[in-house]
Amino acid sequence: MEKISALMDGELKEEAADEQISLVKQNIEKMDHWHLYHLIGDTLRHESALDQSHAKVSIQPVSQYSPSLSPSPRSSDASPLFSQQRLPHSNFNQRLRARLAAEPTILSPHPVRQKTIERSGISWLAPFFGKTAFNNYLLAAAASVTAVAMVSWAVLELEAGPRPAVSLAKKAIDKTVPMNERQAVIGVSAKALTAPSVEDPGSQYLQEYLLAHQGLSPSTAIQGVAAYVRSVSFQGD
Amino acid sequence: MKYWLILSIFLAGHSCAAEDNEAIDWLKKMAASNNNVSYVGTFIYQHGGRLETSHLTHHVSPMGDVFEKLETLDGPPREIIRANDKVTAYLPDSQTVIVEKRNPHHLPVTLPENLQELNAQYELKKTHSERIVGFECQWIFIAPKDKLRYGRKFCIEFNTGLPLRAQVVNEKMEVIESFGFYQLQIDQDVAAESQDSLYAVVARNENWRIDRSALNITEKPFDTGWTIKPSPPGFYKKMEVKRTVAGRLSAIPHLVYSDGLAAISVFIEPNQRKKMTPPLISKGAIHIYKKNYQTFTIVALGEVPAKTVMMFANSVQYKKSSEH
């Protein structure tokens, strides 16, 4: 565990770092440690998972291996959205893994070379890149998938909250991610939106169904727009 | 003697049919008022023991274009604008604009064509007349023949056909939802500026979230692969489309069933894995029932009793390929 800590702090030499990375990659428990350390670090620095996720959208290419896979949010433009202090869920990693297991085909927002690798299966390509580079790639890719999922998750979390935040989140994504990658982000967030969340009965979720239904109901034909008051009525029964 | 009896039964039946026809005429008049009467008023929406007031502007242009604006006066301000077939909802509290645009030819349930269909499931009765907010109106009662649907009562203004009161009643004849004007001016010239949204400018300037929802505009019905089998008695499929719903990322199957008066929408979307409590929600006459079916979430809703929406949701099936 100390080694993971050292890895995070950039104290390991390249070879040792590679070894740790592949260990972390192979060992779920170590992955949890990795995540936990970041969580602790972020909490100490008063940064949240949302901050990370925002920053991670602009995650760097493989070769630019850096011990800090969750770059400081300060490096990116801080939008009001991410200024709120929200503690990440400690079991986020587990949930993420479950989701990734369920959706093995997620493409990460990365340059062409990496997408090619992903599409064509992974391991056989390793020799072409060299073990180190490949390991780094895997980890970076994993991190970027995490980032994508986290952004999605952030959007999802906010979906339940005030709407303006969502549009800010979208803007933030727009700013940091080039077009082709943005599509990937959006594609994944579409899936991530199906992640568990608690729903408020009076939520917009149902309001939208009501609006969709109302236009087709004879009561609208009879009463016109007055019938729509059902859709925007603020009181539940 | 026997002949008299037969004759009197015949006459009774005849007068009953005449009453039905008269009631249908009133309903036709009411349906037409939507497209030919301008008015400004304040109405109360009453549901589940709650009251909400809204301001309503209804303007029919000389060209026959219909413009309507509803502003809620209680609770968070909300505004719904309908210009012919385009409905825009402004929700300032969540800084959201929801836009619904429909092809008028795709309205599955239109009046008055469907009024004849009503006879199968409902009994139409012309009852008493009354004076409401300064206008004389005629009450028409549409009584359901079974417990799968609600009854309706309308008080229809003598001259214009405008419904001054519209009520939904359950089997115990309790009013579960009511719309009623408490202030009304008919044939008001609606000033042009009052047709504008209070929020359109601010929504644009502040970049409110805009959700567009549009029907799949295809002339032929879309086979979504889903069906309701058996469909609850008296309800027939009026529409089957794949549509985008505001807030959903991809088009989802939407089936609409109706008995001529009430409509039920069934939406089928990939499993939301959201907490399913409470699966049954009601708002006025509307019941919404959600259930998981395999990897899908089914949402059935309509202005019908809870058991009817539940029957719909529980009868959703994916058609076998052999049935295609």
Side-chain angles (χ1 to χ4, degrees):
Chain A
M1 277 179 70
E2 299 85 3
K3 282 192 175 169
I4 294 175
S5 175
L7 174 68
M8 275 176 58
D9 296 332
E11 288 165 10
L12 292 187
K13 288 192 175 143
E14 193 177 337
E15 275 177 28
D18 286 342
E19 190 191 334
Q20 274 308 307
I21 287 166
S22 68
L23 279 174
V24 163
K25 183 166 64 67
Q26 285 159 15
N27 189 324
I28 282 178
E29 202 183 320
K30 283 200 160 50
M31 191 71 113
D32 282 339
H33 287 154
W34 170 267
H35 181 73
L36 188 64
Y37 272 67
H38 277 286
L39 199 59
I40 293 166
D42 290 345
T43 309
L44 288 174
R45 290 192 300 272
H46 298 288
E47 293 162 3
S48 74
L50 293 186
D51 296 331
Q52 290 180 33
S53 63
H54 175 46
K56 275 185 183 174
V57 174
S58 54
I59 199 138
Q60 306 319 312
V62 194
S63 49
Q64 196 181 331
Y65 162 69
S66 143
S68 164
L69 274 169
S70 53
S72 158
R74 284 172 225 104
S75 62
S76 56
D77 52 344
S79 77
L81 163 65
F82 299 104
S83 63
Q84 40 185 296
Q85 297 298 318
R86 192 196 284 254
L87 281 179
H89 291 239
S90 56
N91 65 348
F92 175 73
N93 219 16
Q94 285 163 18
R95 289 193 291 132
L96 175 66
R97 263 203 304 278
R99 287 203 52 73
L100 289 179
E103 293 169 6
T105 53
I106 291 178
L107 293 177
S108 63
H110 262 276
V112 180
R113 185 180 65 158
Q114 293 150 14
K115 276 187 184 163
T116 316
I117 300 167
E118 285 209 336
R119 285 208 194 102
S120 40
I122 293 177
S123 49
W124 64 273
L125 272 168
F128 297 97
F129 291 97
K131 192 165 177 286
T132 305
F134 188 66
N135 282 344
N136 286 346
Y137 157 68
L138 281 182
L139 193 57
S144 68
V145 171
T146 311
V148 168
M150 279 174 129
V151 168
S152 312
W153 177 67
V155 170
L156 173 73
E157 288 279 296
L158 290 158
E159 206 80 21
R163 285 288 176 165
V166 176
S167 59
L168 286 172
K170 283 176 185 159
K171 271 191 232 156
I173 290 168
D174 289 351
K175 276 182 201 160
T176 46
V177 188
M179 190 58 193
N180 59 336
E181 297 182 3
R182 203 185 309 157
Q183 281 163 352
V185 171
I186 289 162
V188 178
S189 63
K191 288 181 181 171
L193 279 173
T194 62
S197 84
V198 183
E199 185 182 310
D200 161 23
S203 73
Q204 209 140 2
Y205 177 82
L206 292 172
Q207 201 165 51
E208 280 146 2
Y209 278 133
L210 281 167
L211 278 167
H213 168 78
Q214 199 63 66
L216 303 168
S217 169
S219 58
T220 307
I222 295 168
Q223 295 166 261
V225 81
Y228 278 90
V229 75
R230 287 168 174 153
S231 317
V232 292
S233 157
F234 69 100
Q235 295 169 318
D237 281 357
Chain B
M1 182 64 194
K2 201 192 264 179
Y3 290 109
W4 275 113
L5 190 64
I6 291 168
L7 185 63
S8 63
I9 289 170
F10 174 77
L11 283 175
H14 184 76
S15 71
C16 192
E19 197 182 275
D20 273 8
N21 283 334
E22 214 180 320
I24 283 183
D25 287 342
W26 276 102
L27 293 180
K28 282 181 180 167
K29 186 174 184 170
M30 175 173 75
S33 74
N34 213 350
N35 295 321
N36 56 29
V37 185
S38 294
Y39 56 88
V40 178
T42 309
F43 78 94
I44 296 179
Y45 170 53
Q46 190 178 359
H47 62 111
R50 296 182 168 86
L51 292 176
E52 290 175 43
T53 50
S54 300
H55 190 256
L56 191 59
T57 308
H58 187 108
H59 177 70
V60 181
S61 80
M63 307 294 286
D65 291 317
V66 178
F67 173 89
E68 287 185 288
K69 184 161 83 171
L70 180 150
E71 300 155 79
T72 61
L73 300 177
D74 300 341
R78 276 144 187 209
E79 188 181 72
I80 294 181
I81 289 179
R82 181 174 80 110
N84 290 328
D85 303 302
K86 188 181 171 191
V87 177
T88 311
Y90 292 92
L91 313 173
D93 49 335
S94 59
Q95 299 205 339
T96 305
V97 183
I98 299 176
V99 183
E100 278 267 328
K101 193 161 167 46
R102 300 188 311 271
N103 184 330
H105 303 299
H106 284 82
L107 277 185
V109 188
T110 49
L111 292 166
E113 300 94 85
N114 277 83
L115 289 174
Q116 297 298 336
E117 200 184 310
L118 283 182
N119 281 317
Q121 310 302 334
Y122 299 88
E123 209 175 312
L124 306 183
K125 294 173 189 166
K126 181 185 157 196
T127 60
H128 60 291
S129 61
E130 198 179 338
R131 186 166 169 269
I132 291 174
V133 289
F135 298 92
E136 289 290 329
C137 62
Q138 174 64 50
W139 280 100
I140 300 294
F141 179 34
I142 307 177
K145 292 180 180 173
D146 63 24
K147 291 177 181 175
L148 291 178
R149 48 213 108 225
Y150 288 133
R152 315 291 170 114
K153 290 177 170 181
F154 297 102
C155 201
I156 301 164
E157 204 269 320
F158 275 14
N159 295 317
T160 59
L162 204 62
L164 303 181
R165 290 265 163 87
Q167 298 177 336
V168 182
V169 294
N170 65 13
E171 55 182 295
K172 294 176 199 155
M173 291 297 286
E174 295 161 341
V175 175
I176 53 169
E177 183 183 77
S178 165
F179 298 83
F181 284 103
Y182 77 84
Q183 183 267 322
L184 176 67
Q185 290 167 291
I186 295 180
D187 276 330
Q188 271 290 306
D189 235 2
V190 179
E193 57 268 28
S194 70
Q195 298 183 15
D196 296 334
S197 165
L198 289 171
Y199 305 104
V201 174
V202 66
R204 204 164 39 240
N205 290 344
E206 292 181 7
N207 270 324
W208 288 10
R209 192 179 71 106
I210 297 178
D211 269 338
R212 285 176 203 283
S213 192
L215 278 184
N216 186 344
I217 313 281
T218 48
E219 287 303 321
K220 56 185 179 204
F222 188 89
D223 186 357
T224 62
W226 293 92
T227 186
I228 312 286
K229 212 170 165 181
S231 61
F235 289 96
Y236 300 97
K237 190 168 84 179
K238 299 290 174 182
M239 196 179 81
E240 179 176 359
V241 291
K242 237 182 159 175
R243 67 170 301 165
T244 54
V245 173
R248 303 298 171 280
L249 289 138
S250 56
I252 58 171
H254 180 191
L255 280 64
V256 180
Y257 283 69
S258 176
D259 62 1
L261 188 62
I264 286 107
S265 280
V266 179
F267 299 92
I268 299 140
E269 62 177 318
N271 205 329
Q272 293 290 308
R273 277 180 236 157
K274 294 191 177 191
K275 232 182 180 176
M276 293 295 281
T277 48
L280 185 69
I281 299 164
S282 75
K283 193 174 227 182
I286 290 199
H287 277 99
I288 305 169
Y289 180 66
K290 282 171 54 182
K291 68 170 273 191
N292 281 336
Y293 174 75
Q294 294 174 2
T295 56
F296 297 91
T297 296
I298 290 164
V299 179
L301 68 119
E303 318 85 90
V304 287
K307 76 173 163 196
T308 312
V309 285
M310 290 170 81
M311 279 169 83
F312 269 94
N314 291 330
S315 302
V316 169
Q317 291 181 14
Y318 195 76
K319 282 181 275 186
K320 289 185 186 112
S321 51
S322 60
E323 289 174 32
H324 273 295

